[in-house]
Amino acid sequence: MNNYVIVTDTGSDLTKELIDELGVRVMNLELNIDGETPEVSNSVETVEFYKMLRAGKTATTSAIGIDRFIKEFEPILEEGKDVLYIGFSSGLSGTYNAGFVAAKELADKHPYRKIYTVDTLAASMGEGLLVWYAAKMKEEGRSIEEVRDFLEENKLSLCHWFTVNDLFFLKRGGRISAATAVMGTMLNIKPVLHVDNDGKLISVSKARGRRAAIDALFQKVKETAKDNVADQMIFISHGDCETDAKYLAEKICRELGVKDVKIGYIGPVIGAHSGPETLAVFFLGSQR
């Protein structure tokens, strides 16, 4: 029943410790820094990556192609195991669609094996949290179909709330205009954003100052988390601002009685677009 492998990608921002604990495989999206492409995304130390961004270097990313998915999936199938790919939001990257096409091609070639794909419509440790739930269910002995169905039924309850410190990264990505970035920076305005049901990034509100923006993230957890929030696993990811992440985690634990919070870095794949000092929180809510 458990003869399957869970595969995800670096859009999930899972820490090395979590990857080892969960026993999942992680594929790297391509990272480019000022025209140079490291061999793999994880070859760039995250702290050093943010130093480069602060120094003015430009980072871009590329989706995983169909051929790379085939090279990852096919050996698993040939070992007599099935594959469950849990992918980066199709609203933000072409990676999931490439994985879906690869799965279709391999299904024809390996008709006696199962290969399923799930578009999480999620990013960063929001995607990672869905992978966490999947791996825990696998440990409990759930079948690949049970895990796939759970993800499909619950992915739109996976809430993403985050704030960024440097508006010019959003401007570069086309999320806000240059004028808005300039004015917002002058007025110390920090946006509060989330990922919608189409897996796309949208701005929801604004806060005056960094601490107000972080407190707004806490309010979103308080207002929208499911009734069992104290017993939930909550993930927090940050763009090299661990002190802010710890402040948010401690506030959530103290005021909401949450017992399990895991903190991790926003990796280069997401950080290239969100910039240093981005802070995000992920949990199951009544809706996104």
Side-chain angles (χ1 to χ4, degrees), residues 252-274:
I252 288 171
C253 292
R254 182 178 64 252
E255 299 195 27
L256 301 181
V258 173
K259 305 174 188 68
D260 293 315
V261 177
K262 290 193 182 295
I263 297 173
Y265 272 88
I266 296 172
V269 167
I270 305 297
H273 304 282
S274 59

Side-chain angles (χ1 to χ4, degrees), residues 112-125:
Y112 299 106
R113 295 259 55 89
K114 300 171 184 176
I115 178 165
Y116 299 128
T117 65
V118 176
D119 180 359
T120 63
L121 299 172
S124 189
M125 289 182 80

Side-chain angles (χ1 to χ4, degrees), residues 30-77:
E30 186 175 279
L31 176 69
N32 184 290
I33 301 175
D34 275 1
E36 296 184 2
T37 303
E39 184 178 350
V40 295
S41 303
N42 289 344
S43 69
V44 179
E45 291 293 336
T46 306
V47 174
E48 290 302 314
F49 170 75
Y50 283 108
K51 285 182 180 178
M52 288 187 278
L53 290 188
R54 290 184 175 107
K57 289 186 178 293
T58 300
T60 58
T61 59
S62 300
I64 300 171
I66 297 170
D67 289 345
R68 280 186 58 205
F69 274 109
I70 290 175
K71 288 179 181 178
E72 180 73 24
F73 293 164
E74 191 155 39
I76 299 172
L77 301 173

Side-chain angles (χ1 to χ4, degrees), residues 15-220:
T15 64
K16 183 182 184 304
E17 292 75 18
L18 276 172
I19 292 168
D20 293 342
E21 173 192 327
L22 299 176
V24 299
R25 299 193 189 183
V26 181
M27 298 181 64
N28 293 293
L29 279 77
E30 186 175 279
L31 176 69
N32 184 290
I33 301 175
D34 275 1
E36 296 184 2
T37 303
E39 184 178 350
V40 295
S41 303
N42 289 344
S43 69
V44 179
E45 291 293 336
T46 306
V47 174
E48 290 302 314
F49 170 75
Y50 283 108
K51 285 182 180 178
M52 288 187 278
L53 290 188
R54 290 184 175 107
K57 289 186 178 293
T58 300
T60 58
T61 59
S62 300
I64 300 171
I66 297 170
D67 289 345
R68 280 186 58 205
F69 274 109
I70 290 175
K71 288 179 181 178
E72 180 73 24
F73 293 164
E74 191 155 39
I76 299 172
L77 301 173
E78 290 174 345
E79 290 173 11
K81 297 178 181 179
D82 300 323
V83 174
L84 175 61
Y85 170 58
I86 304 172
F88 188 17
S89 172
S90 63
L92 297 170
S93 170
T95 293
Y96 171 76
N97 289 328
F100 177 81
V101 172
K104 288 293 187 184
E105 289 186 15
L106 289 170
D108 293 336
K109 188 175 179 181
H110 298 272
Y112 299 106
R113 295 259 55 89
K114 300 171 184 176
I115 178 165
Y116 299 128
T117 65
V118 176
D119 180 359
T120 63
L121 299 172
S124 189
M125 289 182 80
E127 177 187 349
L129 186 52
L130 289 173
V131 174
W132 182 87
Y133 277 110
K136 292 301 180 182
M137 291 180 70
K138 182 174 183 286
E139 287 179 10
E140 294 169 359
R142 304 293 186 89
S143 70
I144 189 171
E145 288 86 3
E146 287 177 306
V147 175
R148 176 202 59 190
D149 293 347
F150 170 86
L151 295 174
E152 292 291 358
E153 291 166 7
N154 288 276
K155 66 186 183 183
L156 293 185
S157 296
L158 198 290
C159 299
H160 308 57
W161 289 100
F162 64 102
T163 187
V164 301
N165 201 46
D166 189 336
L167 296 177
F168 286 94
F169 280 87
L170 293 183
K171 177 259 178 186
R172 192 180 70 190
R175 304 297 178 183
I176 60 175
S177 67
T180 298
V182 170
M183 185 61 68
T185 300
M186 290 175 60
L187 297 176
N188 196 26
I189 298 296
K190 307 299 180 186
V192 177
L193 309 100
H194 85 139
V195 174
D196 67 12
N197 286 354
D198 295 321
K200 296 181 179 179
L201 176 66
I202 62 171
S203 180
V204 176
S205 60
K206 299 179 180 66
R208 179 65 65 86
R210 177 71 169 180
R211 183 52 60 89
I214 298 172
D215 289 340
L217 299 184
F218 167 77
Q219 283 300 125
K220 293 299 183 182

